[in-house]
Amino acid sequence: MAGEKPHSVAHSLDDGRLRAPSAARNMAPILEAIAPFVPKRGVALELASGSGEHIVALAEAHPDVVWQPSDIAPDRLVSIDAWRAERGVRNMRLAQFLDASAPTWQSGPMALIVTVNLLHLVDERTAHAVINGVARNLAPGAHWFLYGPFRSGGAFRSDGDKRFHRALTTHDPAIGYKDIEAVQGWASEAGLSRADLIEMPANNLALVLRKGAGG
């Protein structure tokens, strides 16, 4: 999507699959944290699926849910479908091109939306577009599981986070870490309320937002 900058180097296998080092590191904690919010059935959308490693693991862990991956980069779309084929996952759809920074994207209503490591890679305008799009495409009562690094009250959670943010803004001054309070405020304006805030390894957070039943 507009403004997105990859932050970890993925290497490619012979069949088109990409492997992202960060996906291997955070896979198990994400699967554990998201489990209480996965619906019993319905369609779950992952925004910016990247290599496809997360959504394949989610599909395998929750076989009664249909999982829809999405991305904008051609090599990532190929990788997602290659992972799907290699694992033989039956409850996962083919990867869909989706630019979540577009003001009117439509892919819902979804029973769950998942986003991993995205908001610090986009500018504030794009972050607002993503949040508004999620709110528009979630089914009433459904959750958005948003994982990644954040600041709190303008303060970084570790020296490593501060260095990473500096590296991001050196590359593009418009992107970088967002304050978790600001994201929650933008989400509230869009009709999403906080359901949980989960401490994750490596100073990351999982912010779980819920769309109102009347939304």
Side-chain angles (χ1 to χ4, degrees):
M1 67 190 59
E4 182 185 357
K5 306 294 181 184
H7 68 281
S8 63
V9 177
H11 64 273
S12 178
L13 303 176
D14 291 341
D15 60 0
R17 284 179 294 153
L18 299 172
R19 286 188 182 276
S22 60
R25 291 193 298 269
N26 61 35
M27 187 78 71
I30 286 175
L31 289 175
E32 180 179 355
I34 200 174
F37 305 101
V38 177
K40 293 182 178 179
R41 61 188 61 84
V43 180
L45 169 68
E46 184 181 28
L47 296 178
S49 295
S51 66
E53 293 166 275
H54 284 122
I55 197 163
V56 166
L58 286 164
E60 290 176 333
H62 301 279
D64 294 328
V65 176
V66 176
W67 295 86
Q68 174 65 66
S70 69
D71 211 286
I72 62 167
D75 61 333
R76 296 177 203 166
L77 296 171
V78 169
S79 176
I80 295 162
D81 289 342
W83 276 108
R84 174 181 179 271
E86 192 273 339
R87 294 286 185 89
V89 182
R90 296 180 178 273
N91 60 316
M92 177 177 157
R93 294 175 175 172
L94 292 172
Q96 173 186 6
F97 175 89
L98 194 157
D99 182 356
S101 68
T104 58
W105 66 271
Q106 194 69 40
S107 190
M110 292 292 172
L112 172 71
I113 295 179
V114 181
T115 310
V116 175
N117 285 334
L118 177 64
L119 288 194
H120 60 295
L121 303 179
V122 300
D123 59 27
E124 186 172 320
R125 181 196 63 79
T126 301
H128 277 278
V130 171
I131 291 168
N132 290 333
V134 167
R136 188 171 59 249
N137 284 278
L138 270 179
H143 292 92
W144 180 24
F145 183 90
L146 175 62
Y147 169 94
F150 296 92
R151 291 180 308 204
S152 180
F156 293 97
R157 294 165 56 81
S158 72
D159 289 340
D161 284 319
K162 188 174 183 178
R163 289 191 297 270
F164 185 27
H165 171 79
R166 186 182 301 120
L168 291 171
T169 55
T170 298
H171 178 76
D172 182 347
I175 68 173
Y177 281 36
K178 312 294 186 290
D179 283 354
I180 191 70
E181 297 87 357
V183 174
Q184 290 179 176
W186 301 337
S188 178
E189 292 172 0
L192 304 174
S193 59
R194 192 178 97 177
D196 206 348
L197 183 63
I198 306 166
E199 290 280 348
M200 302 292 287
N203 300 301
N204 289 302
L205 294 171
L207 175 60
V208 185
L209 296 156
R210 181 179 182 273
K211 184 172 181 176

